[in-house]
Amino acid sequence: MIALLILPLLLPFALPALARRALDRLAPVVALRAITGSAVALAGCSLAALGAFVLTGLLSLPFFAALGELIRPLHTAADRYVLPLAAVSVGGLAVCVWTLARSVLRQVRAFRAARTEAGRGPAAGDLCVVDSPCADAYALPGRPHRIVVTTGMLRSLDGSEREALFAHERAHNAGGHHYFLAAAELAAHCHPALRGVRDVIRLAVERAADEAAASAVGDRRLTARAIARAALAGQGGGVERPAFAPGAASGPVPQRVQALLAAPRGRRRAGRWVAVLLVACAGVSCVASATGMADFHHRVEVAQGEAER
């Protein structure tokens, strides 16, 4: 049981490298879904493993074993490691809860501030203009979805570049990219190895919106130029917004521009193998976690049955 539950804690360390390769080999939308799904699955399995270690450690103590109606403290094949693992797991879960709570509060405050700021400026359909010398533009989720752009950004682009920028931000809202960014933020607080995956998911979100914008305006070079100029104009900083509100100038812009200027690549066999590895990594973690939890539950049921006899 102990070995099975350690596996979900180790597999997330393989995901950042796989995620980067997947984004390079797969279409951005496909890579975004595969990477985010794998990250969420690995995060959930790692939390389940930590929880199982905590419960095993508690039930190995006479007081908690009595509360669980066990005839004796729970025993495993690796009793000497149970209490240390349980103590480490308690600390890990406490850190996860603390950092996640802080992040949620910070994001909620930033979201409210951004919605309030967007409501003050003039609006035309889904477009809100904020009077600010800082050049910034981003997609703001909510009811309704908004595209927020500052006057500083509008002055930095010409008419065609603005249309490409607006198409990029509309692609974020249409694709529900804020859900992927929120999931990436959540997973990053569940396991330290998944913090690197969070950055890959952010890049995948921008790459997906870049491709959608290029398709909408029918000009990849124009889209690349709009993104590059928006990033240069926004170097002085932007308005306050939550991390799950994606913006056109986010991420490694040179890499995004290079991808837009390159010809779109078709699916390759290497890309399919990367997708298979992502799914396999998440699947092995889920199976190991579920098997470990089932073994733990079986041991508890056996102990309770012995108590009844």
Side-chain angles (χ1 to χ4, degrees):
M1 181 184 74
I2 298 297
L4 284 173
L5 292 176
I6 287 178
L7 191 58
L9 300 177
L10 297 178
L11 283 173
F13 289 100
L15 192 60
L18 283 176
R20 288 189 291 270
R21 187 171 293 272
L23 183 56
D24 182 59
R25 303 279 184 175
L26 299 172
V29 173
V30 177
L32 174 62
R33 294 172 180 172
I35 296 168
T36 306
S38 298
V40 171
L42 289 173
C45 291
S46 65
L47 289 181
L50 291 176
F53 283 137
V54 172
L55 290 176
T56 303
L58 289 177
L59 292 179
S60 68
L61 300 175
F63 175 76
F64 292 100
L67 289 179
E69 299 180 355
L70 305 184
I71 193 172
R72 61 178 181 272
L74 192 67
H75 292 290
T76 66
D79 283 342
R80 69 180 68 180
Y81 304 112
V82 167
L83 289 179
L85 283 172
V88 172
S89 299
V90 168
L93 288 173
V95 171
C96 290
V97 171
W98 172 249
T99 58
L100 181 59
R102 290 183 59 188
S103 177
V104 168
L105 291 176
R106 184 170 59 252
Q107 299 304 323
V108 168
R109 286 195 296 266
F111 176 70
R112 289 178 177 175
R115 292 292 296 188
T116 301
E117 186 69 23
R120 292 174 181 170
D126 62 345
L127 181 64
C128 296
V129 179
V130 174
D131 186 13
S132 172
C134 299
D136 199 6
Y138 57 93
L140 186 63
R143 294 185 179 179
H145 292 325
R146 295 292 188 189
I147 298 171
V148 181
V149 60
T150 64
T151 53
M153 180 63 79
L154 292 176
R155 286 192 294 265
S156 302
L157 306 177
D158 61 29
S160 58
E161 290 167 349
R162 292 175 189 173
E163 290 303 317
L165 180 72
F166 298 157
H168 176 98
E169 302 303 345
R170 288 192 175 98
H172 281 314
N173 284 332
H177 291 167
H178 48 282
Y179 292 118
F180 293 96
L181 293 175
E185 188 71 20
L186 175 64
H189 291 285
C190 295
H191 196 289
L194 298 178
R195 294 173 186 170
V197 180
R198 174 176 55 187
D199 296 332
V200 179
I201 291 175
R202 287 175 177 170
L203 176 56
V205 161
E206 297 303 328
R207 286 281 310 280
D210 290 342
E211 294 295 332
S215 177
V217 302
D219 191 335
R220 298 180 68 86
R221 295 187 68 87
L222 170 62
T223 305
R225 186 173 73 247
I227 291 169
R229 292 191 63 183
L232 288 173
Q235 285 183 345
V239 297
E240 182 182 10
R241 69 173 187 263
F244 56 82
S250 303
V253 174
Q255 184 176 343
R256 293 168 52 199
V257 170
Q258 183 180 6
L260 279 170
L261 294 178
R265 293 179 299 181
R267 292 185 178 181
R268 296 185 297 177
R269 182 173 297 179
R272 292 194 292 269
W273 276 112
V274 173
V276 169
L277 287 175
L278 279 173
V279 174
C281 188
V284 169
S285 181
C286 290
V287 170
S289 177
T291 305
M293 292 291 291
D295 181 69
F296 165 76
H297 186 261
H298 175 71
R299 290 174 184 272
V300 171
E301 282 189 330
V302 169
Q304 288 175 334
E306 291 175 353
E308 291 174 0
R309 290 198 299 270

